[in-house]
Amino acid sequence: MARYSPPLLRRFFSCAATSASPAGGSGAGKKNLVFLGSPQVAASVLDTLLAASGSPDSGFQVAAVVTQPPAAKNRGRKLMPSAVAQLALERGFPEELIFTPEKAREESFLSDLKEVKPDVCITAAYGNILPQKFLDIPPCGTVNIHPSLLPLYRGAAPVQRALQDGVAETGVSLAYTVCALDAGPVIACERFPVDEYIKAPELLATLFDIGSKLLVNELPSILDGSAKEKAHPQDDSEATLAPKLNSEESWLSFDQEAKEIHNKVRAFSGWPGTRAKLQLINQNGEADVLEIKVISTKVSSSFDKAGDENEILFSGSSLLIPCSGSTWLEVLELQLPGKKVTMARDFWNGLRGQKLLKSP
């Protein structure tokens, strides 16, 4: 099983704990909880659990943390621990109780997990498939925080796909993990209204914050087994899928209506972002392709314009791009290759009279 090497940890954290005691006090009479997660949104969940486990009346302790192995990040491509591993160590969690298997099916990892004797496992954006051998270990089950109202948006990108669809409401669910994708019985859920400007990173963080509080409220019933009795099975006939995003999807097509494009910009914010190709016409009438990353948009409420249907205009503080159905997309922020994010007004002023068109 892959674990952090002490030299790697010391490089980032000079105060890593050396005690093998789990977080949450002496542990006498407390149930063992193992947390699995990797990105920053999962780190916020772990932080909530560590704080709750320290309460005098807490019935659980965080006995171990499971996360993705260190990965090469940034321009230097140096190996960096996951956000969850960083948070755990910053909170004084014992290094030897942070497990980083490449795959959750590794026999050495499963053996170490059994030694921890988890009563329950909690997952939040862990990023690894859990085999049945794993699910058989904790007697109180494995519970996942899923940022959608299951059975809607099962899969890797529920928040992004919901925003792409332009939903007015989403939410977060606590569900038991089974071998089928996000198909286990739902213990509890909480709804959340979606405004038309919120982007995926912000909504993702909000839903996991709500989910962590919901989890803490439900943990007593999960640990005493009553949650299994009240959990309701999902209606598979109502299920929708939320497949993982890929970079090729990031290209925008102005043959779609402005609302659809705006929703995609919000959904793909962060990674992979949204890109568009425009035509830049200089004073001599020569055309060049200009690739931009579209950062922030809104749908123009009303705009009437006669002339070249492909011409991109500027009004107020926005680029105005003509779209399908006589709709207009307002681009508020954009980014040129190798440059910082800029406001549309500054970009427009930099054109110095050159004309901008949609690419054919």
Side-chain angles (χ1 to χ4, degrees), residues 307-358:
D308 188 342
E309 62 181 11
N310 290 319
E311 185 174 0
I312 296 170
L313 306 176
F314 182 82
S315 178
S317 58
S318 308
L319 293 181
L320 290 165
I321 302 181
C323 304
S324 177
S326 300
T327 60
W328 290 80
L329 181 74
E330 296 190 34
V331 176
L332 308 174
E333 294 178 299
L334 63 144
Q335 186 175 14
L336 296 172
K339 304 293 184 180
K340 294 181 179 180
V341 173
T342 184
M343 303 301 293
R345 177 182 295 277
D346 295 331
F347 166 75
W348 186 262
N349 290 338
L351 294 181
R352 302 184 184 280
Q354 298 178 94
K355 183 183 288 188
L356 208 56
L357 303 176
K358 296 191 301 183

Short mmCIF file of all heavy atoms in Angstrom, two decimals, residues 307-358:
data_model
loop_
_atom_site.label_atom_id
_atom_site.label_comp_id
_atom_site.label_asym_id
_atom_site.label_seq_id
_atom_site.Cartn_x
_atom_site.Cartn_y
_atom_site.Cartn_z
N GLY A 307 -27.27 44.62 -39.01
CA GLY A 307 -25.96 44.56 -39.65
C GLY A 307 -25.41 43.16 -39.68
O GLY A 307 -26.16 42.18 -39.76
N ASP A 308 -24.07 43.04 -39.60
CA ASP A 308 -23.40 41.75 -39.68
C ASP A 308 -23.79 40.88 -38.49
O ASP A 308 -23.54 41.22 -37.33
CB ASP A 308 -21.88 41.97 -39.68
CG ASP A 308 -21.11 40.69 -39.97
OD1 ASP A 308 -21.69 39.60 -39.84
OD2 ASP A 308 -19.92 40.79 -40.31
N GLU A 309 -24.42 39.74 -38.79
CA GLU A 309 -24.92 38.88 -37.71
C GLU A 309 -23.80 38.19 -36.94
O GLU A 309 -24.03 37.61 -35.88
CB GLU A 309 -25.86 37.82 -38.28
CG GLU A 309 -25.19 36.88 -39.27
CD GLU A 309 -26.14 35.85 -39.84
OE1 GLU A 309 -27.35 35.97 -39.63
OE2 GLU A 309 -25.64 34.90 -40.49
N ASN A 310 -22.57 38.25 -37.45
CA ASN A 310 -21.44 37.62 -36.78
C ASN A 310 -20.58 38.60 -35.99
O ASN A 310 -19.64 38.18 -35.31
CB ASN A 310 -20.55 36.90 -37.81
CG ASN A 310 -21.23 35.67 -38.39
OD1 ASN A 310 -21.88 34.92 -37.67
ND2 ASN A 310 -21.09 35.49 -39.69
N GLU A 311 -20.89 39.89 -36.07
CA GLU A 311 -20.03 40.89 -35.43
C GLU A 311 -20.25 40.92 -33.91
O GLU A 311 -21.38 40.90 -33.41
CB GLU A 311 -20.30 42.28 -36.00
CG GLU A 311 -19.33 43.33 -35.46
CD GLU A 311 -19.49 44.69 -36.14
OE1 GLU A 311 -20.36 44.81 -37.04
OE2 GLU A 311 -18.75 45.60 -35.75
N ILE A 312 -19.15 40.96 -33.19
CA ILE A 312 -19.18 41.07 -31.73
C ILE A 312 -19.04 42.53 -31.35
O ILE A 312 -18.16 43.24 -31.85
CB ILE A 312 -18.04 40.24 -31.11
CG1 ILE A 312 -18.25 38.75 -31.43
CG2 ILE A 312 -17.96 40.44 -29.60
CD1 ILE A 312 -17.07 37.87 -31.08
N LEU A 313 -19.93 42.98 -30.47
CA LEU A 313 -19.99 44.39 -30.10
C LEU A 313 -19.59 44.58 -28.64
O LEU A 313 -19.32 43.61 -27.92
CB LEU A 313 -21.40 44.93 -30.34
CG LEU A 313 -21.97 44.74 -31.75
CD1 LEU A 313 -23.40 45.22 -31.81
CD2 LEU A 313 -21.11 45.47 -32.77
N PHE A 314 -19.52 45.83 -28.23
CA PHE A 314 -19.24 46.15 -26.83
C PHE A 314 -20.26 47.17 -26.36
O PHE A 314 -20.56 48.15 -27.05
CB PHE A 314 -17.83 46.71 -26.67
CG PHE A 314 -17.48 47.02 -25.24
CD1 PHE A 314 -17.04 46.02 -24.39
CD2 PHE A 314 -17.63 48.31 -24.73
CE1 PHE A 314 -16.73 46.29 -23.06
CE2 PHE A 314 -17.33 48.59 -23.41
CZ PHE A 314 -16.88 47.57 -22.57
N SER A 315 -20.82 46.94 -25.17
CA SER A 315 -21.79 47.87 -24.60
C SER A 315 -21.70 47.80 -23.08
O SER A 315 -21.65 46.72 -22.50
CB SER A 315 -23.22 47.52 -25.06
OG SER A 315 -24.17 48.39 -24.48
N GLY A 316 -21.70 48.98 -22.44
CA GLY A 316 -21.62 49.01 -20.98
C GLY A 316 -20.27 48.51 -20.51
O GLY A 316 -19.25 49.18 -20.64
N SER A 317 -20.24 47.29 -20.00
CA SER A 317 -18.99 46.69 -19.55
C SER A 317 -18.83 45.28 -20.10
O SER A 317 -18.07 44.48 -19.55
CB SER A 317 -18.95 46.65 -18.01
OG SER A 317 -20.05 45.91 -17.51
N SER A 318 -19.54 44.97 -21.20
CA SER A 318 -19.57 43.60 -21.70
C SER A 318 -19.33 43.52 -23.19
O SER A 318 -19.74 44.40 -23.96
CB SER A 318 -20.94 42.96 -21.41
OG SER A 318 -21.31 43.09 -20.06
N LEU A 319 -18.66 42.43 -23.59
CA LEU A 319 -18.68 42.03 -24.99
C LEU A 319 -20.06 41.44 -25.27
O LEU A 319 -20.59 40.69 -24.44
CB LEU A 319 -17.63 40.97 -25.28
CG LEU A 319 -16.15 41.33 -25.20
CD1 LEU A 319 -15.30 40.12 -25.56
CD2 LEU A 319 -15.83 42.49 -26.12
N LEU A 320 -20.62 41.75 -26.40
CA LEU A 320 -21.93 41.22 -26.78
C LEU A 320 -21.74 40.29 -27.97
O LEU A 320 -21.34 40.73 -29.06
CB LEU A 320 -22.89 42.35 -27.14
CG LEU A 320 -23.35 43.21 -25.96
CD1 LEU A 320 -23.98 44.51 -26.44
CD2 LEU A 320 -24.34 42.44 -25.10
N ILE A 321 -22.02 39.00 -27.75
CA ILE A 321 -21.81 38.01 -28.80
C ILE A 321 -23.18 37.49 -29.26
O ILE A 321 -23.97 36.98 -28.45
CB ILE A 321 -20.96 36.83 -28.28
CG1 ILE A 321 -19.61 37.35 -27.78
CG2 ILE A 321 -20.76 35.79 -29.38
CD1 ILE A 321 -18.68 36.27 -27.26
N PRO A 322 -23.48 37.60 -30.57
CA PRO A 322 -24.76 37.11 -31.07
C PRO A 322 -24.81 35.58 -31.04
O PRO A 322 -23.86 34.91 -31.43
CB PRO A 322 -24.82 37.65 -32.50
CG PRO A 322 -23.39 37.86 -32.89
CD PRO A 322 -22.66 38.22 -31.63
N CYS A 323 -25.94 35.05 -30.57
CA CYS A 323 -26.10 33.61 -30.45
C CYS A 323 -27.37 33.18 -31.16
O CYS A 323 -28.09 34.00 -31.74
CB CYS A 323 -26.16 33.20 -28.97
SG CYS A 323 -24.73 33.74 -28.00
N SER A 324 -27.64 31.91 -31.11
CA SER A 324 -28.82 31.36 -31.78
C SER A 324 -30.10 31.95 -31.18
O SER A 324 -30.13 32.37 -30.03
CB SER A 324 -28.83 29.84 -31.64
OG SER A 324 -29.98 29.28 -32.22
N GLY A 325 -31.16 31.94 -32.00
CA GLY A 325 -32.47 32.39 -31.53
C GLY A 325 -32.54 33.87 -31.24
O GLY A 325 -33.33 34.30 -30.39
N SER A 326 -31.70 34.68 -31.89
CA SER A 326 -31.67 36.13 -31.69
C SER A 326 -31.35 36.51 -30.24
O SER A 326 -31.81 37.54 -29.74
CB SER A 326 -33.00 36.77 -32.13
OG SER A 326 -33.25 36.53 -33.49
N THR A 327 -30.57 35.67 -29.57
CA THR A 327 -30.15 35.96 -28.20
C THR A 327 -28.72 36.47 -28.20
O THR A 327 -27.96 36.23 -29.15
CB THR A 327 -30.26 34.71 -27.31
OG1 THR A 327 -29.40 33.67 -27.83
CG2 THR A 327 -31.70 34.19 -27.27
N TRP A 328 -28.36 37.17 -27.12
CA TRP A 328 -27.03 37.74 -27.01
C TRP A 328 -26.39 37.33 -25.69
O TRP A 328 -27.03 37.39 -24.64
CB TRP A 328 -27.10 39.28 -27.08
CG TRP A 328 -27.46 39.78 -28.44
CD1 TRP A 328 -28.71 39.84 -28.99
CD2 TRP A 328 -26.56 40.28 -29.43
NE1 TRP A 328 -28.66 40.37 -30.25
CE2 TRP A 328 -27.35 40.65 -30.55
CE3 TRP A 328 -25.18 40.47 -29.48
CZ2 TRP A 328 -26.78 41.18 -31.71
CZ3 TRP A 328 -24.61 41.01 -30.62
CH2 TRP A 328 -25.41 41.36 -31.73
N LEU A 329 -25.12 36.94 -25.76
CA LEU A 329 -24.37 36.59 -24.57
C LEU A 329 -23.46 37.74 -24.20
O LEU A 329 -22.73 38.27 -25.05
CB LEU A 329 -23.51 35.33 -24.82
CG LEU A 329 -22.68 34.85 -23.63
CD1 LEU A 329 -23.58 34.19 -22.59
CD2 LEU A 329 -21.60 33.88 -24.09
N GLU A 330 -23.52 38.16 -22.94
CA GLU A 330 -22.61 39.19 -22.43
C GLU A 330 -21.42 38.52 -21.77
O GLU A 330 -21.58 37.74 -20.82
CB GLU A 330 -23.32 40.09 -21.43
CG GLU A 330 -24.46 40.90 -22.02
CD GLU A 330 -24.99 41.96 -21.06
OE1 GLU A 330 -24.16 42.50 -20.28
OE2 GLU A 330 -26.19 42.22 -21.07
N VAL A 331 -20.24 38.81 -22.25
CA VAL A 331 -19.00 38.30 -21.65
C VAL A 331 -18.41 39.41 -20.79
O VAL A 331 -18.07 40.49 -21.28
CB VAL A 331 -17.99 37.86 -22.72
CG1 VAL A 331 -16.68 37.43 -22.07
CG2 VAL A 331 -18.57 36.71 -23.54
N LEU A 332 -18.32 39.16 -19.47
CA LEU A 332 -17.85 40.16 -18.52
C LEU A 332 -16.35 40.05 -18.25
O LEU A 332 -15.68 41.05 -18.05
CB LEU A 332 -18.63 40.01 -17.20
CG LEU A 332 -20.15 40.00 -17.32
CD1 LEU A 332 -20.77 39.70 -15.98
CD2 LEU A 332 -20.65 41.33 -17.86
N GLU A 333 -15.85 38.81 -18.21
CA GLU A 333 -14.43 38.55 -17.96
C GLU A 333 -13.94 37.49 -18.93
O GLU A 333 -14.69 36.56 -19.26
CB GLU A 333 -14.20 38.06 -16.53
CG GLU A 333 -14.50 39.06 -15.44
CD GLU A 333 -14.27 38.44 -14.07
OE1 GLU A 333 -14.96 37.45 -13.75
OE2 GLU A 333 -13.41 38.94 -13.32
N LEU A 334 -12.69 37.61 -19.37
CA LEU A 334 -12.11 36.65 -20.27
C LEU A 334 -10.61 36.56 -20.02
O LEU A 334 -10.04 37.35 -19.27
CB LEU A 334 -12.40 37.00 -21.73
CG LEU A 334 -11.80 38.32 -22.23
CD1 LEU A 334 -11.36 38.18 -23.68
CD2 LEU A 334 -12.84 39.44 -22.12
N GLN A 335 -9.99 35.60 -20.69
CA GLN A 335 -8.54 35.41 -20.50
C GLN A 335 -7.93 35.00 -21.82
O GLN A 335 -8.40 34.09 -22.50
CB GLN A 335 -8.30 34.33 -19.44
CG GLN A 335 -6.85 34.14 -19.06
CD GLN A 335 -6.67 33.14 -17.93
OE1 GLN A 335 -7.60 32.40 -17.60
NE2 GLN A 335 -5.50 33.11 -17.31
N LEU A 336 -6.86 35.70 -22.20
CA LEU A 336 -6.10 35.34 -23.39
C LEU A 336 -5.02 34.33 -23.01
O LEU A 336 -4.59 34.28 -21.85
CB LEU A 336 -5.46 36.59 -23.99
CG LEU A 336 -6.42 37.66 -24.52
CD1 LEU A 336 -5.66 38.91 -24.91
CD2 LEU A 336 -7.22 37.13 -25.70
N PRO A 337 -4.56 33.51 -23.97
CA PRO A 337 -3.53 32.51 -23.66
C PRO A 337 -2.30 33.14 -23.03
O PRO A 337 -1.75 34.12 -23.54
CB PRO A 337 -3.22 31.91 -25.04
CG PRO A 337 -4.47 32.11 -25.83
CD PRO A 337 -5.02 33.43 -25.37
N GLY A 338 -1.88 32.59 -21.89
CA GLY A 338 -0.68 33.07 -21.22
C GLY A 338 -0.84 34.38 -20.46
O GLY A 338 0.13 34.90 -19.92
N LYS A 339 -2.07 34.90 -20.41
CA LYS A 339 -2.32 36.17 -19.74
C LYS A 339 -3.22 35.97 -18.52
O LYS A 339 -3.80 34.92 -18.31
CB LYS A 339 -2.99 37.16 -20.71
CG LYS A 339 -2.21 37.42 -21.99
CD LYS A 339 -0.91 38.16 -21.72
CE LYS A 339 -0.20 38.49 -23.02
NZ LYS A 339 1.08 39.20 -22.79
N LYS A 340 -3.34 37.03 -17.72
CA LYS A 340 -4.23 36.99 -16.57
C LYS A 340 -5.67 37.28 -17.01
O LYS A 340 -5.90 37.81 -18.10
CB LYS A 340 -3.78 38.03 -15.53
CG LYS A 340 -2.43 37.73 -14.89
CD LYS A 340 -2.08 38.78 -13.85
CE LYS A 340 -0.74 38.47 -13.20
NZ LYS A 340 -0.37 39.50 -12.17
N VAL A 341 -6.61 36.93 -16.15
CA VAL A 341 -8.02 37.24 -16.41
C VAL A 341 -8.17 38.76 -16.50
O VAL A 341 -7.59 39.51 -15.70
CB VAL A 341 -8.92 36.67 -15.30
CG1 VAL A 341 -10.36 37.13 -15.48
CG2 VAL A 341 -8.84 35.15 -15.28
N THR A 342 -8.94 39.21 -17.49
CA THR A 342 -9.13 40.64 -17.69
C THR A 342 -10.61 40.96 -17.84
O THR A 342 -11.41 40.11 -18.25
CB THR A 342 -8.36 41.13 -18.94
OG1 THR A 342 -8.48 42.54 -19.06
CG2 THR A 342 -8.93 40.50 -20.21
N MET A 343 -10.97 42.18 -17.52
CA MET A 343 -12.34 42.64 -17.72
C MET A 343 -12.57 42.88 -19.21
O MET A 343 -11.65 43.23 -19.95
CB MET A 343 -12.60 43.93 -16.94
CG MET A 343 -12.34 43.81 -15.44
SD MET A 343 -13.36 42.55 -14.63
CE MET A 343 -14.99 43.31 -14.81
N ALA A 344 -13.81 42.73 -19.63
CA ALA A 344 -14.14 42.89 -21.05
C ALA A 344 -13.79 44.28 -21.55
O ALA A 344 -13.33 44.45 -22.69
CB ALA A 344 -15.62 42.58 -21.27
N ARG A 345 -14.00 45.30 -20.72
CA ARG A 345 -13.71 46.68 -21.14
C ARG A 345 -12.22 46.84 -21.47
O ARG A 345 -11.86 47.44 -22.49
CB ARG A 345 -14.13 47.66 -20.05
CG ARG A 345 -13.79 49.12 -20.39
CD ARG A 345 -14.17 50.05 -19.26
NE ARG A 345 -15.62 50.07 -19.05
CZ ARG A 345 -16.46 50.81 -19.76
NH1 ARG A 345 -16.00 51.57 -20.75
NH2 ARG A 345 -17.74 50.79 -19.52
N ASP A 346 -11.36 46.32 -20.61
CA ASP A 346 -9.92 46.43 -20.85
C ASP A 346 -9.51 45.68 -22.11
O ASP A 346 -8.66 46.13 -22.88
CB ASP A 346 -9.14 45.91 -19.65
CG ASP A 346 -9.37 46.75 -18.40
OD1 ASP A 346 -9.63 47.95 -18.54
OD2 ASP A 346 -9.32 46.18 -17.28
N PHE A 347 -10.11 44.52 -22.32
CA PHE A 347 -9.82 43.75 -23.53
C PHE A 347 -10.25 44.54 -24.76
O PHE A 347 -9.50 44.62 -25.75
CB PHE A 347 -10.55 42.41 -23.47
CG PHE A 347 -10.59 41.66 -24.77
CD1 PHE A 347 -9.48 41.02 -25.26
CD2 PHE A 347 -11.76 41.64 -25.53
CE1 PHE A 347 -9.51 40.34 -26.47
CE2 PHE A 347 -11.81 40.97 -26.74
CZ PHE A 347 -10.68 40.32 -27.21
N TRP A 348 -11.44 45.10 -24.72
CA TRP A 348 -11.98 45.85 -25.87
C TRP A 348 -11.10 47.06 -26.19
O TRP A 348 -10.80 47.33 -27.35
CB TRP A 348 -13.42 46.27 -25.58
CG TRP A 348 -14.10 46.92 -26.74
CD1 TRP A 348 -14.27 48.26 -26.98
CD2 TRP A 348 -14.70 46.27 -27.87
NE1 TRP A 348 -14.93 48.48 -28.15
CE2 TRP A 348 -15.22 47.27 -28.72
CE3 TRP A 348 -14.88 44.93 -28.22
CZ2 TRP A 348 -15.90 46.96 -29.90
CZ3 TRP A 348 -15.54 44.63 -29.40
CH2 TRP A 348 -16.04 45.64 -30.23
N ASN A 349 -10.67 47.76 -25.15
CA ASN A 349 -9.81 48.93 -25.37
C ASN A 349 -8.50 48.52 -26.02
O ASN A 349 -7.91 49.28 -26.79
CB ASN A 349 -9.55 49.65 -24.06
CG ASN A 349 -10.78 50.36 -23.52
OD1 ASN A 349 -11.71 50.67 -24.28
ND2 ASN A 349 -10.81 50.62 -22.22
N GLY A 350 -8.03 47.32 -25.71
CA GLY A 350 -6.77 46.85 -26.28
C GLY A 350 -6.86 46.46 -27.74
O GLY A 350 -5.83 46.30 -28.41
N LEU A 351 -8.07 46.35 -28.28
CA LEU A 351 -8.23 46.00 -29.69
C LEU A 351 -7.87 47.17 -30.60
O LEU A 351 -7.54 46.97 -31.79
CB LEU A 351 -9.68 45.57 -29.97
CG LEU A 351 -10.14 44.27 -29.31
CD1 LEU A 351 -11.59 43.97 -29.70
CD2 LEU A 351 -9.25 43.10 -29.71
N ARG A 352 -7.96 48.40 -30.08
CA ARG A 352 -7.56 49.59 -30.83
C ARG A 352 -8.21 49.66 -32.21
O ARG A 352 -7.56 49.83 -33.25
CB ARG A 352 -6.04 49.67 -30.96
CG ARG A 352 -5.33 49.68 -29.62
CD ARG A 352 -3.83 49.85 -29.77
NE ARG A 352 -3.15 49.76 -28.51
CZ ARG A 352 -3.07 50.74 -27.60
NH1 ARG A 352 -3.65 51.90 -27.86
NH2 ARG A 352 -2.42 50.56 -26.46
N GLY A 353 -9.53 49.50 -32.21
CA GLY A 353 -10.29 49.68 -33.45
C GLY A 353 -10.40 48.45 -34.32
O GLY A 353 -11.10 48.48 -35.35
N GLN A 354 -9.72 47.37 -33.98
CA GLN A 354 -9.87 46.14 -34.77
C GLN A 354 -11.27 45.54 -34.56
O GLN A 354 -11.85 45.66 -33.48
CB GLN A 354 -8.79 45.11 -34.37
CG GLN A 354 -7.39 45.59 -34.64
CD GLN A 354 -6.37 44.56 -34.18
OE1 GLN A 354 -5.92 43.72 -34.98
NE2 GLN A 354 -5.98 44.63 -32.93
N LYS A 355 -11.78 44.88 -35.57
CA LYS A 355 -13.12 44.31 -35.50
C LYS A 355 -13.03 42.86 -34.99
O LYS A 355 -12.07 42.13 -35.25
CB LYS A 355 -13.77 44.33 -36.89
CG LYS A 355 -15.21 43.81 -36.89
CD LYS A 355 -15.80 43.78 -38.30
CE LYS A 355 -16.09 45.18 -38.80
NZ LYS A 355 -16.85 45.13 -40.10
N LEU A 356 -14.07 42.47 -34.27
CA LEU A 356 -14.14 41.12 -33.71
C LEU A 356 -15.37 40.42 -34.25
O LEU A 356 -16.48 40.98 -34.20
CB LEU A 356 -14.19 41.21 -32.18
CG LEU A 356 -13.63 40.05 -31.34
CD1 LEU A 356 -12.19 39.77 -31.71
CD2 LEU A 356 -13.76 40.38 -29.87
N LEU A 357 -15.19 39.19 -34.76
CA LEU A 357 -16.29 38.41 -35.31
C LEU A 357 -16.32 37.03 -34.69
O LEU A 357 -15.29 36.53 -34.21
CB LEU A 357 -16.17 38.26 -36.83
CG LEU A 357 -16.09 39.53 -37.69
CD1 LEU A 357 -15.87 39.13 -39.15
CD2 LEU A 357 -17.36 40.36 -37.56
N LYS A 358 -17.48 36.40 -34.74
CA LYS A 358 -17.54 34.98 -34.40
C LYS A 358 -16.82 34.19 -35.47
O LYS A 358 -16.87 34.53 -36.65
CB LYS A 358 -19.00 34.49 -34.34
CG LYS A 358 -19.82 35.11 -33.25
CD LYS A 358 -21.16 34.37 -33.10
CE LYS A 358 -21.97 34.35 -34.37
NZ LYS A 358 -23.29 33.70 -34.19
#
